Amino acid sequence: MKLFADLYTALDETTKTSLKTEALTTYFAAAPPADAVWAIHFLIGRRPKRLIETRKLVEWAIAEAGVPPWLFDESYQAVGDLAETISLLLPDPQYSTDLPLHYWVEERLLPLARWEDDRRRESLVSAWREMNDSQRFVWNKLITGAFRVGVSQSLVVRALAQVSGVAAPVISHRLMGDWQPSPEFYTRLIARESEDADVSRPYPFFLAYPIEGSVDQLGDISEWQIEWKWDGIRSQLVRRNWRTFIWSRGEELVTERFPELEALGALLPEGTVIDGEILPWRGGHPLPFAQMQRRIGRKVLGPKILADVPVVILAYDLLEWNGRDIREQPIEERRAKLAALTDSTRDSGRLILSPVVTPASWEDLTALRRESRDRKVEGFMLKRHGSPYRVGRRRGDWWKWKIEPFSIDAVLLYAQPGSGRRASLFTDYTFGVWDGDKLVPFAKAYSGLTDDEIRKVDAFVRRNTIEKFGPVRSVKPELVFELAFEGIQRSPRHRSGIAVRFPRIARWREDKPAAEADSLETIRALLPPG
Amino acid sequence: MKPLLEVTPDGLYCAQGDFYVDPWCPVERAVITHAHSDHARPGSKRYLTSAPGVGVLRARMGSDACIEAVAHEDTLDIGGVRVSLHPAGHILGSAQVRLEHAGEVWVVSGDYKIERDRTSEAFEPIRCHTFVTESTFGLPIYRWRPQPEVFSQINSWWRGNQTAGKASVVFAYSLGKAQRLIAGVDPSIGPIFCHGAVQKMNEVYRESGVPLPATLYAGDAERGYDWSRALIVAPPSCNGSIWMRKFHPASTAFASGWMRVRGTRRRRSLDRGFALSDHADWPGLLGAIEATGAQQVLVTHGYRAPLVKWLGEHGLEARTLETRFENEEETD
Ligand SMILES: [Zn+2]
Ligand SMILES: [Zn+2]
């Protein structure tokens, strides 16, 4: 635990990538496999299911700290982070601990989920008494499921590659899939040669950056394979050992959610991995994404919802063919093989080759892009001819060229403190728009402001609070922000009757008074017909 | 009976003796707890301060200010009020002001710190009926680690930077904290350079008889000087300024009680925060208040409301005192 807490401190103390990598390699070089594997697990953002109710955790911390509940609340207000507040309030440790991370996780953390309250409490309190400030902080973060530290998966991969001498893409690939945090897994992860034991394992997704500057800077249009950018669930369909696995981009195994696609897998040859987009689809067109959300929301998929919201895979790419990793082959060759597969499964109607468009010029493409919304796509994907299928988000070979987002002006109504780096600042906002002479909450947004602007908004919130509801404050409706978002649809679940996708703050409209913010009526006009 | 001190537009006023304690406007007669700018403001006719604090107060108020010293063991009679000054342990010369009139005793703490250090006289608890206390860090999240532990963190950060070929720039309030820091680090590690504002106060401390290790003025170093072995002590306002450029590559740190909370460190984009404070922490405040035996406690500075509520729940008459001792983060 000490090594891991030191690692956390080192990562937390710097914003420089080189120092973070150094801290990671130092850690992995020193940690035993049984610990290192848990460290990876947490660092790349995997977290245990809810272990304990926050209310109970707070109650026990309050008792151990010997402060009245109101003083705990005051302290939390000042700190802005629950895990940190608890670790700062607890009395100094009575012992110290040399027990390793895997002990703490396997014997003390995960069992919390199944223990009775008495045992949970006893275990937590004795853990606190053994840990110093930084260990407690990390421990509390793990318990509350809020463990976050500014390292990306690729940084972890880079450090592991440095320590083990195994190429980064190999590590990255081995980290995909449904692995258990065991010492054996860690040993396989950094082994020079390894049998790929996990048949379900997908490949790391190749992700595109948005295009920078104008498209005609990309050279001759004929050098590019251009596809529509679909708005569904980016996924990989893996067919190996006569079994089918469907992975979402969030590395979640979602096979059970899509029985019709699992059936499709049975039509594919052994050793096939397809990268594509799962879309709700009927009559050659995508259904609104809300339909998909309706389907995803269901615990049980009955025949009615399966019939109402059928799904297909729009196939973008072929990564594995006849059991061979073909990601290094040029895109044309991969697409030719993919086309053969979509042809051979045409009767199922579930696997559709992502169509390419072949305009003669960038101007023609620009014109075509205007049809995006009507076609229910988000714009284009541009893929350079001859390019391999790379790992992670890379510039150069693939670009996305999305249509401009929608935008509206909305008024700040509620604010609450963020987490992590922004714990002591109000950074999470709810915005409203006019409905007659009232403002109705319309969207939440967290990102988009500069640090400087965040500080100003924070000061405004503190000075203009009307009411407090727990950590949430309602504020005088004065500040106007331009919000951008990608999609819009009707939603009976929202008070405004409207739900938007990926809302974010485009800019602060300091020039606009609240009265000039947009109304629900203006926003309804953006809704797709029907 | 009329209270011994009242908040007036000019500051805390003692009508019985016709003088002010730490007034925020120019007055005839000002009794000063210590030379920080939120307590000692220029323009008053006569200042009274503790004998060890004359040098620092003069440095702040200017050479023509009229400053009288009173030794810690002496008692003055000002208009029938017995006035004496007692060490507050905050910075060099910082004092608690004890007022006695008609059997009633009040003590104004000014800013204070319980832990001893080499650069100020040790805090002395004084029995009184009414205690005017600061509460800069009036929340139980503020508990200081023992000084040797903090200084060993600072020393090892400095050494680590030397190994990495980086300058070590530590921000510290130029009066008080900077000198305590300089007196506390291990000067055998490397040279200590100071910003002009800090260096000026170092001289005042030395002249007042506080020994400090040798320090150099950062502006005197020749061009192209290799800073990688140096510790540079600068006021917090230098963080992010162009003055910092010459030390590149550098690791930055801030020595302040506020650094106890991770968010305050991260917000300033500092590499390190050392929770070294010249104020009392929560247990320090509670202990000091109890030691006075005061029944009435008036609270100024920082997190007032929680401390007032806590004291009220523990049987004391406590309320906040609206002063203009506005303690910004920089003052610790
Ligand atoms: Zn002070
Ligand atoms: Zn002060």
Side-chain angles (χ1 to χ4, degrees):
Chain A
M1 191 70 181
K2 182 181 179 307
L3 267 186
F4 186 62
D6 289 349
L7 170 65
Y8 181 90
T9 308
L11 293 172
D12 191 48
E13 272 170 6
T14 180
T15 51
K16 297 193 187 71
T17 310
S18 58
L19 293 180
K20 287 187 176 180
T21 316
E22 198 184 307
L24 287 166
T25 51
T26 311
Y27 175 80
F28 288 124
D35 286 353
V37 75
W38 280 112
I40 296 171
H41 178 88
F42 293 120
L43 288 169
I44 68 176
R46 297 188 174 202
R47 45 182 64 101
K49 294 252 159 54
R50 196 174 156 85
L51 296 166
I52 195 165
E53 298 81 345
T54 307
R55 185 178 51 79
K56 290 181 182 160
L57 184 70
V58 168
E59 185 188 311
W60 300 336
I62 283 177
E64 179 68 2
V67 295
W70 66 263
L71 194 50
F72 183 92
D73 291 347
E74 292 277 357
S75 301
Y76 175 66
Q77 285 289 324
V79 177
D81 179 283
L82 184 65
E84 187 181 2
T85 308
I86 293 176
S87 51
L88 292 177
L89 285 177
L90 291 170
D92 289 344
Q94 301 168 357
Y95 324 98
S96 67
T97 171
D98 289 329
L99 291 165
L101 177 64
H102 75 269
Y103 162 79
W104 285 107
V105 175
E106 291 163 15
E107 308 291 327
R108 301 293 287 273
L109 185 76
L110 301 178
L112 286 174
R114 52 167 207 270
W115 285 343
E116 297 290 315
D117 277 355
D118 283 350
R119 185 149 180 217
R120 286 167 144 182
R121 178 176 186 159
E122 189 191 350
S123 173
L124 276 180
V125 169
S126 81
W128 284 332
R129 289 181 183 167
E130 286 176 55
M131 293 179 176
N132 66 22
D133 279 359
S134 63
Q135 290 168 347
R136 275 174 187 168
F137 177 64
V138 169
W139 174 248
N140 292 344
K141 284 276 176 197
L142 293 177
I143 291 172
T144 53
F147 183 85
R148 240 175 263 120
V149 61
V151 293
S152 60
Q153 175 150 349
S154 69
L155 207 62
V156 175
V157 167
R158 199 188 306 170
L160 286 166
Q162 264 180 39
V163 170
S164 64
V166 177
V170 175
I171 300 263
S172 187
H173 189 200
R174 288 176 184 169
L175 271 180
M176 303 283 292
D178 197 11
W179 52 271
Q180 291 304 312
S182 65
E184 295 74 28
F185 172 76
Y186 183 76
T187 312
R188 280 203 307 279
L189 180 68
I190 58 164
R192 298 247 162 194
E193 303 292 329
S194 93
E195 293 288 305
D196 276 358
D198 181 3
V199 296
S200 78
R201 180 184 299 157
Y203 293 94
F205 284 87
F206 183 13
L207 305 172
Y209 271 102
I211 214 160
E212 294 148 354
S214 82
V215 272
D216 44 24
Q217 287 166 351
L218 293 178
D220 194 335
I221 194 167
S222 66
E223 285 174 24
W224 296 88
Q225 173 180 311
I226 302 170
E227 296 165 56
W228 297 106
K229 186 175 187 319
W230 299 92
D231 178 21
I233 301 176
R234 178 89 181 271
S235 304
Q236 279 180 42
L237 188 153
V238 177
R239 178 70 184 178
R240 290 187 196 118
N241 277 22
W242 299 278
R243 289 178 62 193
T244 303
F245 306 92
I246 299 163
W247 290 92
S248 73
R249 213 190 88 192
E251 271 188 59
E252 224 183 315
L253 197 53
V254 292
T255 322
E256 285 159 21
R257 312 306 304 159
F258 304 106
E260 57 268 70
L261 301 180
E262 190 174 6
L264 161 71
L267 305 176
L268 295 168
E270 253 311 282
T272 301
V273 178
I274 292 170
D275 173 8
E277 193 96 11
I278 299 178
L279 287 166
W281 192 269
R282 172 167 291 131
H285 298 287
L287 297 166
F289 197 78
Q291 295 291 322
M292 181 74 120
Q293 278 166 335
R294 189 158 75 94
R295 174 168 164 166
I296 293 169
R298 294 292 166 91
K299 283 232 166 60
V300 181
L301 290 169
K304 175 148 185 347
I305 190 94
L306 289 176
D308 282 357
V309 191
V311 296
V312 299
I313 298 188
L314 257 284
Y316 293 141
D317 215 319
L318 185 64
L319 314 185
E320 185 173 311
W321 182 68
N322 287 341
R324 262 198 311 131
D325 177 356
I326 60 164
R327 291 176 296 162
E328 284 300 319
Q329 292 185 4
I331 192 167
E332 301 76 15
E333 288 178 28
R334 300 197 309 271
R335 187 171 166 93
K337 294 182 175 93
L338 181 64
L341 288 180
T342 56
D343 261 359
S344 69
T345 56
R346 181 180 302 271
D347 291 346
S348 77
R350 299 289 183 196
L351 188 64
I352 298 170
L353 185 62
S354 158
V356 296
V357 296
T358 50
S361 65
W362 293 118
E363 292 82 70
D364 289 359
L365 186 68
T366 309
L368 194 56
R369 181 164 167 267
R370 289 188 201 109
E371 298 176 15
S372 297
R373 280 220 165 91
D374 291 338
R375 290 172 179 267
K376 302 197 177 92
V377 294
E378 296 183 298
F380 292 116
M381 288 295 304
L382 311 178
K383 302 175 179 176
R384 194 186 293 279
H385 279 309
S387 60
Y389 187 94
R390 297 182 185 275
V391 170
R393 203 176 286 282
R394 295 296 182 86
R395 281 170 222 278
D397 283 342
W398 285 19
W399 297 102
K400 57 184 177 191
W401 191 28
K402 289 174 71 165
I403 42 179
E404 301 302 327
F406 293 101
S407 95
I408 59 120
D409 293 330
V411 184
L412 178 66
L413 294 183
Y414 303 100
Q416 72 183 90
S419 49
R421 189 169 73 90
R422 292 168 165 182
S424 50
L425 294 171
F426 286 92
T427 58
D428 296 2
Y429 313 118
T430 302
F431 298 94
V433 291
W434 293 105
D435 183 15
D437 58 357
K438 278 201 289 289
L439 284 160
V440 287
F442 159 75
K444 278 188 192 312
Y446 311 98
S447 61
L449 294 180
T450 63
D451 282 0
D452 208 39
E453 287 171 327
I454 288 173
R455 271 194 291 272
K456 280 201 224 160
V457 175
D458 177 76
F460 173 86
V461 170
R462 288 173 199 278
R463 281 197 315 270
N464 294 281
T465 298
I466 300 173
E467 257 184 294
K468 296 183 187 176
F469 319 89
V472 180
R473 299 192 180 189
S474 67
V475 298
K476 273 193 213 150
E478 276 178 19
L479 305 188
V480 178
F481 295 83
E482 181 180 322
L483 302 186
F485 51 91
E486 297 302 327
I488 177 165
Q489 53 211 255
R490 290 182 179 75
S491 164
R493 286 184 296 121
H494 290 77
R495 240 171 88 192
S496 61
I498 284 172
V500 294
R501 264 165 74 71
F502 306 128
R504 59 206 182 262
I505 302 166
R507 63 195 166 118
W508 186 352
R509 295 295 306 259
E510 288 181 88
D511 54 319
K512 270 205 173 182
E516 285 176 29
D518 280 313
S519 71
L520 213 44
E521 222 168 304
T522 340
I523 295 162
R524 285 202 193 100
L526 301 172
L527 281 166
Chain B
M1 190 172 67
K2 192 173 169 57
L4 264 182
L5 284 168
E6 274 176 315
V7 177
T8 70
D10 290 338
L12 267 184
Y13 179 58
C14 174
Q16 291 83 342
D18 188 24
F19 61 89
Y20 289 80
V21 178
D22 292 353
W24 41 84
C25 294
V27 298
E28 280 295 314
R29 186 154 207 194
V31 180
I32 298 298
T33 61
H34 67 291
H36 276 152
S37 55
D38 56 332
H39 295 264
R41 298 175 204 243
S44 287
K45 282 248 174 68
R46 296 162 71 193
Y47 294 93
L48 190 72
T49 188
S50 76
V54 172
V56 279
L57 188 63
R58 164 98 41 225
R60 281 291 170 98
M61 298 299 105
S63 51
D64 26 336
C66 167
I67 299 176
E68 296 165 60
V70 49
H72 277 318
E73 55 278 7
D74 289 351
T75 301
L76 299 183
D77 185 307
I78 309 181
V81 179
R82 289 165 61 79
V83 178
S84 55
L85 301 182
H86 306 262
H90 175 58
I91 62 169
L92 175 60
S94 64
Q96 308 174 72
V97 180
R98 181 184 185 276
L99 312 177
E100 185 181 342
H101 179 76
E104 179 83 5
V105 179
W106 286 49
V107 170
V108 181
S109 75
D111 294 342
Y112 63 99
K113 159 170 109 272
I114 313 299
E115 210 176 11
R116 283 164 177 269
D117 81 278
R118 270 183 273 164
T119 57
S120 65
E121 313 79 62
F123 175 84
E124 180 191 321
I126 316 287
R127 304 286 294 179
C128 57
H129 300 103
T130 298
F131 187 46
V132 181
T133 182
E134 64 137 323
S135 63
T136 306
F137 293 105
L139 278 176
I141 51 173
Y142 293 106
R143 276 178 300 149
W144 313 140
R145 307 296 309 163
Q147 276 179 99
E149 189 179 316
V150 181
F151 279 113
S152 93
Q153 285 171 7
I154 298 174
N155 289 336
S156 67
W157 165 75
W158 184 8
R159 284 198 197 93
N161 292 334
Q162 289 184 336
T163 316
K166 282 193 279 190
S168 305
V169 182
V170 58
F171 301 111
Y173 197 48
S174 56
L175 168 56
K177 182 65 64 59
Q179 290 72 36
R180 180 175 167 209
L181 184 90
I182 291 163
V185 295
D186 175 357
S188 72
I189 298 175
I192 302 173
F193 283 87
C194 293
H195 181 273
V198 173
Q199 188 72 345
K200 180 179 156 200
M201 286 302 162
N202 293 348
E203 285 317 313
V204 179
Y205 265 57
R206 289 188 183 104
E207 284 160 16
S208 308
V210 179
L212 294 178
T215 55
L216 299 153
Y217 171 48
D220 283 345
E222 76 265 25
R223 287 196 76 150
Y225 180 81
D226 173 12
W227 296 98
S228 67
R229 294 185 36 73
L231 179 73
I232 298 123
V233 186
S237 55
C238 289
N239 190 7
S241 73
I242 26 175
W243 183 81
M244 285 288 297
R245 269 194 214 149
K246 61 179 164 190
F247 306 115
H248 184 84
S251 178
T252 54
F254 191 10
S256 160
W258 300 107
M259 295 296 109
R260 171 93 168 143
V261 174
R262 181 171 165 267
T264 40
R265 169 172 66 76
R266 311 238 349 149
R267 216 159 51 193
R268 291 162 174 273
S269 39
L270 295 155
D271 296 318
R272 295 293 292 270
F274 300 112
L276 184 72
S277 177
D278 283 341
H279 294 265
D281 60 3
W282 174 259
L285 291 170
L286 300 185
I289 291 166
E290 195 182 347
T292 63
Q295 181 56 33
Q296 175 169 247
V297 181
L298 308 178
V299 182
T300 71
H301 282 70
Y303 289 106
R304 279 162 288 199
L307 184 59
V308 165
K309 185 164 174 181
W310 172 278
L311 295 173
E313 287 185 355
H314 287 76
L316 297 181
E317 291 160 35
R319 59 186 166 86
T320 61
L321 199 60
E322 291 306 324
T323 64
R324 284 203 227 154
F325 308 141
E326 259 325 308
N327 212 346
E328 283 301 309
E329 292 185 14
E330 273 70 26
T331 57
D332 185 55

